[in-house]
């Protein structure tokens, strides 16, 4: 509970910076935001549980997003800080919450944060993305509320444990509602447009604090049910295939990373639906690992767009040729999304595949085939960005984003031999009711 109070205090403090003089407002908001997330990070490291893993992940992503935003955004930095802190704080509350009322309130705060982040640039693309997300989010929230209300009517309790006694209809309504934010196929149609319209640091936060946490929330609430598990297994299987197929058609670096986020979310849900202990625990570590690499990739995409005016892979061909820092960070970020050694995401891909093969050979083979199909598209994007024969491109005018990307990639590499240290964060306990309790 202490983490929740810290998160709420941080949101209030950042809100109060809006009355500060203009020259101090952005810096005050940044200092408070980073301090709040650093406190959540410390508390999450001590909390060696699933809630701690979520807090650890969103805190790291949030800090990286706030720092990089000061090099990538020109105006409204204090407002952006408030949106990031609200998203990270509400997702942390969702990880700790055991009551449906708290879940729904935090869910709405998170959804509003995503909505305003998507519309932050006030461009034509962002307006279209906001309309699409608003329609999807409104329907999802209504379905989620209906499912939780029906569960309360049937069980007489608002605790998440009470969901285990609710009817299949109530659980399916919860699945449909939260599945929108989790980008469960086909409910994630809003995702690529929102990720491409939002500022890149904001897209990184949406990916980890919204899409990733929504997947984990579904695991906590309804995936213990056999019927829901079968439905999710089918839809998530389609989701990993469709997301990889879309990556082959995309030429925008941001949208390629966006579809990789859809892939990772559906891969997590596929692992959760298997109920295989190895696949489930590894999927939780995969959430952390993939978040680090995706955040780095989004930040690099934002830096390239700021420096060169576009984010098309074709237009950025050879952008990192002769630019060692950019070349190394692009390689580590995209290979981290792919999941190869020495990035910690490798353990996620490997053990999810092993766990799926143990529980369902069909699902395991399908997941392996999608991983194989993912290799050419990621490597082709990487090759186009780092190869060339012409003059080296100029160095970045905003080196802060390169520094943040480097820090994230160093952490992703450093955690590779420390996989066993992460395992206690992914140890899950289900009580007699079948719902995650610890």
């Amino acid at each position: 509970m202490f983490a929740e109070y810290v998160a709420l205090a941080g949101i209030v403090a950042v809100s109060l910076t809006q009355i500060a003089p203009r020259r101090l407002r952005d810096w005050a908001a940044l200092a408070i935001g980073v301090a709040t997330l650093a406190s959540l990070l410390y508390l999450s490291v001590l909390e060696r549980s699933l809630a701690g893993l979520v807090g650890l992940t969103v805190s790291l992503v949030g800090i990286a997003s706030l720092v990089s935003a000061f090099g990538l955004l020109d105006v409204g930095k204090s407002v952006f800080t408030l949106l990031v802190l609200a998203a990270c704080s509400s997702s942390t509350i969702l990880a700790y919450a055991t009551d449906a009322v708290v879940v729904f309130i935090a869910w709405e705060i998170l959804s509003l944060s995503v909505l305003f982040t998507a519309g932050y640039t006030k461009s034509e693309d962002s307006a279209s993305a906001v309309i699409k997300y608003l329609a999807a989010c409104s329907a999802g929230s209504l379905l989620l509320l209906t499912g939780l209300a029906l569960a309360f009517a049937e069980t007489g309790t608002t605790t998440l444990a009470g969901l285990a006694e609710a009817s299949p209809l109530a659980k399916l309504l919860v699945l449909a509602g939260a599945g929108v934010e989790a980008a469960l196929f086909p409910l994630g149609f809003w995702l690529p447009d929102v990720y491409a319209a939002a500022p890149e640091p904001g897209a990184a936060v949406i990916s980890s604090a919204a899409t990733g946490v929504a997947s984990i929330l579904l695991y906590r609430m309804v995936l213990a049910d056999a019927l829901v598990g079968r439905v999710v297994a089918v839809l998530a299987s389609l989701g990993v295939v469709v997301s990889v197929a879309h990556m082959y058609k995309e030429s925008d670096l941001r949208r390629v990373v966006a579809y990789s986020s859809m892939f990772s979310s559906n891969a997590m849900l596929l692992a959760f639906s298997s109920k295989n202990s190895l696949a489930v625990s590894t999927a939780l570590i995969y959430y952390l690992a993939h978040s680090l690499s995706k955040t780095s990739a989004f930040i690099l995409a934002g830096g390239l767009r700021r420096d060169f005016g576009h984010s098309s892979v074709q237009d950025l061909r050879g952008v990192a040729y002769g630019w060692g820092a950019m070349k190394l960070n692009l390689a580590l970020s995209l290979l981290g999304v792919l999941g190869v050694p020495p990035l910690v995401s490798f353990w996620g891909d490997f053990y999810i595949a092993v766990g799926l093969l143990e529980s369902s050979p069909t699902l395991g083979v399908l997941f392996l085939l999608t991983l194989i199909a993912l290799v050419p598209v990621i490597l082709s994007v990487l090759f186009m960005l780092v190869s060339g024969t012409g003059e080296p491109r100029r160095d970045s005018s905003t080196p802060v984003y390169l520094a943040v990307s480097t820090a994230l990639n160093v952490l992703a590499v450093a955690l590779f031999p420390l996989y066993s240290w992460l395992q206690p964060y992914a140890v899950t306990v289900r009580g007699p009711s079948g719902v995650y309790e610890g």
Side-chain angles (χ1 to χ4, degrees):
M1 287 295 295
F2 190 60
E4 297 170 353
Y5 294 138
V6 170
L8 292 175
I11 293 175
V12 172
V14 171
S15 301
L16 293 176
T17 62
Q18 299 303 307
I19 64 175
R22 186 178 299 275
R23 293 181 179 180
L24 299 177
R25 187 181 305 161
D26 291 344
W27 287 104
L30 175 64
I32 295 171
V34 171
T36 301
L37 292 175
S39 300
L40 287 178
L41 177 62
Y42 174 74
L43 294 173
S44 299
V45 170
L46 298 180
E47 179 69 33
R48 296 175 73 81
S49 67
L50 174 55
L53 179 70
V54 171
L56 172 65
T57 303
V58 299
S59 298
L60 287 171
V61 171
I63 292 172
S65 174
L66 291 181
V67 175
S68 62
F70 261 66
L72 298 177
L73 303 182
D74 294 320
V75 295
K77 297 175 183 177
S78 60
V79 175
F80 181 79
T81 300
L82 179 61
L83 293 175
V84 170
L85 191 56
C88 294
S89 299
S90 56
S91 61
T92 303
I93 293 173
L94 284 172
Y96 280 91
T98 57
D99 187 89
V101 175
V102 176
V103 165
F104 189 75
I105 293 173
W107 182 266
E108 290 304 296
I109 295 173
L110 178 60
S111 298
L112 287 173
S113 302
V114 174
L115 180 68
F116 286 110
T117 301
Y120 180 85
T121 60
K122 300 179 182 179
S123 64
E124 185 176 337
D125 289 341
S126 68
S128 175
V130 164
I131 293 173
K132 186 175 291 188
Y133 178 76
L134 183 61
C137 175
S138 300
S141 295
L142 180 60
L143 290 171
L144 176 62
L145 180 61
T146 303
L148 294 176
L150 180 58
F152 171 70
E154 293 171 346
T155 64
T157 178
T158 59
T159 62
L160 296 190
L163 277 173
E165 306 302 324
S167 66
L169 176 59
K171 295 174 184 177
L172 288 173
L173 287 170
V174 170
L175 172 65
V180 171
E181 201 76 69
L184 176 65
F185 180 83
L187 303 175
F189 63 90
W190 58 270
L191 184 146
D193 290 339
V194 169
Y195 281 35
E200 288 81 3
V205 172
I206 294 173
S207 174
S208 300
T211 306
V213 170
S215 302
I216 294 174
L217 187 64
L218 280 175
Y219 165 67
R220 293 186 63 207
M221 294 197 299
V222 296
L223 279 178
D225 184 85
L227 174 61
V228 174
R230 287 194 293 270
V231 171
V232 169
V234 173
L235 297 180
S237 298
L238 293 172
V240 295
V241 173
V242 170
S243 56
V244 172
H246 274 287
M247 291 174 71
Y248 276 89
K249 300 191 299 181
E250 292 297 338
S251 59
D252 188 287
L253 180 58
R254 294 172 300 171
R255 294 178 73 91
V256 170
V257 182
Y259 276 112
S260 78
S261 180
M262 182 182 291
F263 171 84
S264 66
S265 180
N266 280 273
M268 288 169 57
L269 290 169
L270 186 61
F272 293 152
S273 68
S274 72
K275 299 183 176 61
N276 177 275
S277 59
L278 178 62
V280 169
S281 62
T282 308
L284 297 171
I285 296 175
Y286 175 77
Y287 163 64
L288 166 63
H290 211 263
S291 293
L292 295 175
S293 295
K294 283 186 300 186
T295 300
S296 177
F298 272 121
I299 289 172
L300 291 175
L304 291 174
R305 184 172 61 85
R306 180 180 176 88
D307 285 340
F308 301 105
H310 38 69
S311 56
S312 167
V313 177
Q314 290 287 349
D315 293 336
L316 292 172
R317 179 186 291 271
V319 69
Y321 174 72
W323 188 358
M326 177 61 72
K327 184 181 294 186
L328 178 62
N329 278 290
L330 279 171
L332 290 175
S333 300
L334 293 176
L335 292 178
V337 168
L338 183 58
V340 300
L343 284 307
V344 70
S345 54
F346 165 77
W347 297 120
D349 285 334
F350 178 76
Y351 284 116
I352 286 177
V354 172
L356 289 174
L357 286 170
E358 288 180 355
S359 62
S360 172
T362 302
L363 293 180
V365 170
L366 176 64
F367 183 69
L368 283 173
L369 290 175
T370 56
L371 284 178
I372 294 172
L374 188 60
V375 173
V377 64
I378 294 296
L379 292 185
S380 66
V381 170
L382 178 59
F383 179 78
M384 291 183 67
L385 294 174
V386 305
S387 64
T389 56
E391 291 297 321
R393 305 297 290 267
R394 65 180 177 84
D395 282 351
S396 169
S397 61
T398 53
V400 62
Y401 75 82
L402 272 177
V404 173
S405 174
T406 300
L408 290 170
N409 287 322
V410 167
L411 181 60
V413 173
L415 287 176
F416 180 77
L418 299 178
Y419 172 77
S420 59
W421 178 79
L422 293 172
Q423 287 180 316
Y425 290 92
V427 172
T428 57
V429 178
R430 290 188 182 273
S433 63
V435 174
Y436 170 81
E437 295 179 347

